[in-house]
Amino acid sequence: QFFSHPGFAGTGNGTAGKSINLLYHEGMYIATTTVIDQIAIEVTTSGISANIRLGIYKANASWQTQALVVDAGVVSGATTGVKTISTTQTLAPGRYLLVYVMDVAVTLRDIRGGVIGATAIDTSIGANAYNYDFNRSFTYAALPDTNTAWDTIGNVTNVGMLFNVFVRVLTP
């Protein structure tokens, strides 16, 4: 078994410091019915007493949240390493958003690239055309059932969007 980000095409990897009280949204495209059993994130620089909440939302055609699939719970960001939460979910074909929010700033491993239909290109195009994340202000708490639409697109870069959350796929 391995971790994946379905529908993703990678261009590289790195690390990125993440801010507290932002709900980050990462597009995930499911082409066929898929069963996952874990959600993972890698902390590369920890924060004292840091907590990171992970979850999945169903997304609409504009990559905005429709409904909460699962608030998978919290992993510790107080130490470095890959952090996982067990949660078995059957995902029908379609668009989803992997989300996370933290209460103390940490640095996370990122894989850079794009997802089918979700790669955001800045309107200026140019040498740094990729927008690197979708987020919104959100005070650290349990994930709400609705109203979590992202309203901010991160700065532009030349490496693609930054993906920090991954799932372990059981089937197909």
Side-chain angles (χ1 to χ4, degrees):
Q1 299 289 335
F2 56 89
F3 291 108
S4 176
H5 198 109
F8 172 81
T11 60
N13 63 34
T15 60
K18 296 296 182 172
S19 299
I20 65 170
N21 296 327
L22 288 179
L23 183 60
Y24 292 94
H25 300 69
E26 301 179 357
M28 177 174 71
Y29 182 78
I30 301 293
T32 185
T33 300
T34 300
V35 178
I36 65 164
D37 73 342
Q38 287 184 12
I39 300 176
I41 197 164
E42 183 183 358
V43 177
T44 60
T45 304
S46 59
I48 297 171
S49 302
N51 295 295
I52 306 167
R53 181 171 293 278
L54 304 171
I56 303 173
Y57 283 91
K58 181 77 174 133
N60 65 20
S62 298
W63 293 96
Q64 292 287 4
T65 57
Q66 284 185 310
L68 181 65
V69 174
V70 64
D71 180 337
V74 177
V75 295
S76 173
T79 59
T80 59
V82 175
K83 313 297 179 160
T84 63
I85 295 177
S86 294
T87 178
T88 301
Q89 302 294 321
T90 300
L91 304 175
R95 293 178 168 131
Y96 294 85
L97 291 158
L98 296 170
V99 300
Y100 64 96
V101 61
M102 61 194 71
D103 62 356
V104 174
V106 300
T107 300
L108 301 174
R109 171 84 50 219
D110 61 66
I111 307 298
R112 300 162 185 201
V115 166
I116 295 170
T119 302
I121 305 297
D122 190 70
T123 56
S124 64
I125 306 181
N128 293 312
Y130 288 109
N131 292 298
Y132 68 77
D133 69 28
F134 302 137
N135 67 69
R136 71 172 287 221
S137 179
F138 181 83
T139 301
Y140 180 83
L143 299 175
D145 290 336
T146 59
N147 194 27
T148 63
W150 52 267
D151 57 12
T152 303
I153 298 176
N155 295 334
V156 294
T157 178
N158 66 356
V159 296
M161 295 186 76
L162 308 184
F163 294 88
N164 304 101
V165 182
F166 304 92
V167 295
R168 189 169 78 172
V169 175
L170 291 180
T171 60

